[in-house]
Amino acid sequence: MTAVDGAVAARYARWDGVGQPITVVTTSAASDPGPGRVLVAVDLATICGSDLHTVYGRRDAPHPGILGHEQVGRVVAIGSGGRPRYANDAEVAIGDRVVWSLTASCGRCRNCVWGLEQKCLHLKKYGHEALDSAWPLNGGFASHCVLLPGTTIVEVPDSVPDTVAAPASCATATVAAVLDAAELDRHRDPTRILITGAGMLGVTAAAMADAIGAWVAVCDPDPVRQETAYNFGADLVVGDAEEVPPVDVALELSGSPTAVEACIASLDVGGRAVLAGSVSASQPISIDPEHLVRNLMTITGVHNYRPLHLRTAIDFLATHHDRYPFAELVAAAADLDHLDDALRTAAASRLLRQSVCPAC
Ligand SMILES: [Zn+2]
Ligand SMILES: [Zn+2]
């Protein structure tokens, strides 16, 4: 199954910790990545908000390491002694264009068996680990990435551009998990949905909710993001959640504690709030338990996603990327040597996902 004998020339962007410049390192990847492993050449990676949380010290991360966990690429080698497969049981083949899950999970521990694969007790997470000689090239800001057994690999149709496919591995799949947790089939028809935060997650959620016929309100104080939300199917866009009539489902995707409070306050009887934006330390909020009890409300948290949600994400993008302007959310690619600049631009941008082309 090995592509070629010997090694493949590779480069990666080494992150040495908060405040340190990125260093591009030249290395090589074994052309036989090992049993069950897949070597992918990265065509395009996008900078996720959580990469920025790491770079700017809003959460701890091991270093030196390779950041990046949203990317699309092509399979260049498959390890001997293993036969990685897609969900439909077809074998992964050299040349396939693929995205892969943020996490690799064992499939056997009690969290995996319980359907919480993203909380596997033996979890490995792309773009979140220290450099590791046993798992080289473990992040997306690199020319190549080594995929471990237990990674969900999803083939990407040629009709889906790189700019649309790359964010699937985190943003789009997370939103698929959020909508799954919302249990929309429990609610009124059409379901009334409030989304707080109109960044990449928020507008993706608006499009997914609109595509299934929901009534969608989006709340974001930024005028540029507000206009974008309309282009992604929002029926109502406001700067203050108090302007939104009661809803069945509230999706909190901004991470702001006041937005969390607004989501809970917006719910009608039987409503459900799904919180997914709060991924760095923030102020606690207070809740009124009597209000929750008397109104039969549910509050649930979603972090990352299950393997099936990455497939949902790619299916959704393949079907709908022409209807909603996903490609316009991603700026032209920087090369690996300019990753520092791209990270700074991403931190200053109100909407656009910055992208990185490791082979450029
Ligand atoms: Zn992410
Ligand atoms: Zn596990």
Side-chain angles (χ1 to χ4, degrees), residues 104-113 116-117 119-123:
S105 45
C106 77
R108 292 182 299 276
C109 73
R110 63 189 169 87
N111 287 354
C112 282
V113 169
L116 300 172
E117 294 92 340
K119 297 294 169 185
C120 173
L121 297 175
H122 312 285
L123 191 72

Side-chain angles (χ1 to χ4, degrees), residues 13-23 54-57 63-65 67 339-341 343-344:
R14 189 185 71 211
W15 178 68
D16 286 307
V18 176
Q20 301 298 313
I22 298 283
T23 305
T54 301
V55 168
Y56 291 102
H63 53 78
L67 301 178
L339 180 56
D340 272 325
D341 293 338
L343 288 163
R344 272 190 290 273

Side-chain angles (χ1 to χ4, degrees), residues 240-307:
D240 182 341
E242 288 188 5
E243 300 171 49
V244 178
V247 295
D248 308 302
V249 170
L251 310 177
E252 206 307 289
L253 303 174
S254 75
S256 152
T258 52
V260 175
E261 289 176 324
C263 278
I264 295 168
S266 73
L267 295 177
D268 205 341
V269 172
R272 174 174 289 241
V274 182
L275 313 182
S278 305
V279 290
S280 61
S282 63
Q283 291 298 315
I285 62 161
S286 61
I287 56 172
D288 176 357
E290 184 189 5
H291 181 71
L292 296 186
V293 168
R294 291 192 182 280
N295 291 285
L296 295 96
M297 288 172 175
T298 305
I299 303 174
T300 186
V302 168
H303 188 222
N304 302 149
Y305 57 87
R306 300 189 60 198

Side-chain angles (χ1 to χ4, degrees), residues 198-233:
M200 177 65 101
L201 292 180
V203 298
T204 301
M208 281 190 183
D210 179 61
I212 56 173
W215 181 87
V216 181
V218 174
C219 178
D220 194 293
D222 186 297
V224 174
R225 289 177 164 212
Q226 289 181 355
E227 191 173 325
T228 303
Y230 277 120
N231 296 333
F232 280 79

